[in-house]
Amino acid sequence: MSLIKSISGIRGTIGGRVGDALTPVDTVKFVAAYATYIKKTTHGKSPKIVLGRDARISGDMVHRLVSATLMGMGFDVIDIGLATTPTTEIAVPKEDASGGIILTASHNPKQWNALKLLDSTGEFLNAEAGAEILVIAEAEDFTFAEVDYLGSVTEKDYLDAHIQEVLNLDLVDVEAIKQANFKVAIDCVNSVGGIALPPLLKALGVKEVLEIHCEPHGNFAHNPEPLPENLTDLADAIKEQKADVGFAVDPDVDRLAIICENGAPFGEEYTLVAIADYILGNTLGNTVSNLSSTRALRDVTEKHGATYTAAAVGEVNVVKKMKETDAIIGGEGNGGVIYPASHYGRDALVGIALFLTQMAKADMKVSELRATYPSYFMSKQKIDLTSGINIDELLLAMKEKYKEEDIIDIDGVKIEFKDKWVHLRKSNTEPIIRIYTEAPSTEEAEALGKQIISEIKDIVGL
């Protein structure tokens, strides 16, 4: 069994021994640590936490543990029940809450669950906050409330408010979507997307919706990561039913994958690229994505006369860089769209509304729209190293070897060539280096990765 304690949250498998998995004891400990941190750092905010969860099987059990622990720490709980991650994020500031917890392991299989921790703005905690919570948890340095100061629970539903916020966005054109008479297929992988996407599409005026795996029971019909190999049911339905487009989301609905009308994948890297192109065509501004995302976003941004900036990997890092550069659109190459006009969090509902508007206004098939963007192909490889090798020194050696190229070293080492790049990052949990490459063809991307692996082996004598 597994328990991963990181600055971005607590993730683990259900069942097993304390300390080795996300057991009830571990859940209580880390929620109490989070509550302790929130008490210490929020001033002028009511002791209130928003709590939402995806539909995975363990969700009800973990939800009850988290809610009771927060009450025991003296916090009132705003329980929004089965809700997407972005819905929970927007609920926090609307409630003027001091924080939020989302119970979801994102794209991990059904045996996993996790605690995603938010601050009072509804954004993920930064690295410093996450590190402090881990220290509090390990020391068990928390005090529960006495009987007269226990918290309460209030149940609310924030889906309608979330959908209304999406409809109110200036660049979402409901009338254009209605006039287009779209037929849309969706795969919600048996989680909360099945609750959120059908009413969203109805509100947007979509003519017909083909619902696939929309029952939110948590027994995922396929691997829940929205990658092409896992979306064959959706692709087949699109072709058989002659749908105009297909949308797939992960269990907590912060990632959006698009399937073309011919059943071909639009490409998860290109969800953000296309939506950024639409946004920039209407509002000039800067863009941000992480270092491991496609170069196509930079190309599209510069085509519009704006500036692209790369951020370290991790949503909190992307959001920080977006604020620093006044970016109007950003996100990650895994289908994560962050649109500050709505909120600073990846949001598939926002992505769907903007993409359907773009489709309606462009008046072209999805495959035709995809063909308007530069094509790059990625390869993701890794190299296992013996524990005695200093990975930091190895990365410095690679940086020196390619010093004549453009180098970005804010998160590992990224080497930019004329028409391709390689990003080297060390793992935080094992002695490996992750090697991501992108080039104009799959063969070139894989060849570059193999070349870098060979050079690393030469340096360390493997």
Side-chain angles (χ1 to χ4, degrees), residues 385-397:
L385 302 171
T386 60
S387 57
I389 293 175
N390 188 313
I391 297 179
D392 290 327
E393 290 183 1
L394 175 56
L395 291 176
L396 284 174

Side-chain angles (χ1 to χ4, degrees), residues 217-293:
H217 50 58
N219 273 306
F220 305 143
H222 54 74
N223 184 312
E225 188 162 16
L227 299 176
E229 59 266 30
N230 302 325
L231 303 177
T232 54
D233 290 347
L234 178 60
D236 290 344
I238 290 169
K239 291 182 289 185
E240 292 168 5
Q241 300 294 321
K242 294 182 170 50
D244 296 295
V245 65
F247 296 120
V249 293
D250 61 341
D252 68 324
V253 200
D254 60 359
R255 289 173 59 177
L256 174 63
I258 302 169
I259 304 294
C260 300
E261 82 291 341
N262 56 10
F266 194 80
E268 64 171 352
E269 291 285 336
Y270 285 82
T271 298
L272 174 59
V273 173
I275 292 171
D277 182 37
Y278 169 62
I279 297 296
L280 294 171
N282 290 274
T283 309
L284 186 61
N286 301 323
T287 67
V288 172
S289 66
N290 69 39
L291 285 171
S292 291
S293 297

Side-chain angles (χ1 to χ4, degrees), residues 373-388:
Y373 301 119
S375 284
Y376 296 104
F377 299 86
M378 279 194 182
S379 173
K380 298 180 180 181
Q381 304 177 45
K382 67 179 181 179
I383 180 170
D384 296 290
L385 302 171
T386 60
S387 57

